Amino acid sequence: MSFEEKSIQCSDCGTSFTFSVEEQEFFASKGYTNEPKRCPACREARKSARYGNGGYSSGSRRQMFPAVCAQCGKETEVPFEPREGRPVYCSDCYSRVRVNK
Ligand SMILES: [Zn+2]
Ligand SMILES: [Zn+2]
């Protein structure tokens, strides 16, 4: 299989960019059959935009479990499943407990 450099026009900004032989080989090795539609700059921009908006605000990545603080009895949420026999602390008490140890 041999590849040739291709010139592709970015569907986002209209700039022509080179789809290099190395990239085509990389695409082929990944099993991709489609050519890239966007220039590297626009691809980067889209990637960072997705990470910037999603993640933290949506909260879908990290599941939080409701728990009651063993120290002050306040309801809190922890990023792990509370186990019986293991005290869970709210963020206030947790920092205090840690310091006292
Ligand atoms: Zn572009
Ligand atoms: Zn507490």
Side-chain angles (χ1 to χ4, degrees):
M1 233 200 314
S2 68
F3 297 99
E4 265 177 47
E5 269 192 12
K6 277 183 197 172
S7 188
I8 298 176
Q9 197 176 35
C10 173
S11 67
D12 270 18
C13 67
T15 307
S16 305
F17 65 98
T18 306
F19 187 27
S20 71
V21 173
E22 296 93 81
E23 280 175 305
Q24 291 179 52
E25 283 173 347
F26 176 75
F27 264 56
S29 74
K30 292 278 178 190
Y32 300 151
T33 50
N34 295 327
E35 292 173 351
K37 289 193 179 71
R38 291 176 188 86
C39 69
C42 288
R43 262 179 271 159
E44 273 308 307
R46 284 175 69 87
K47 233 200 282 183
S48 50
R50 214 177 331 169
Y51 284 121
N53 297 337
Y56 297 105
S57 52
S58 72
S60 58
R61 290 298 297 265
R62 191 171 217 194
Q63 196 183 356
M64 296 296 280
F65 296 88
V68 177
C69 175
Q71 188 76 17
C72 67
K74 201 168 80 176
E75 279 183 37
T76 185
E77 283 188 330
V78 290
F80 54 88
E81 196 170 1
R83 296 255 175 84
E84 252 182 89
R86 289 198 68 185
V88 172
Y89 302 105
C90 64
S91 53
D92 288 351
C93 295
Y94 184 67
S95 54
R96 245 175 282 157
V97 167
R98 247 196 342 196
V99 169
N100 287 346
K101 262 189 182 171

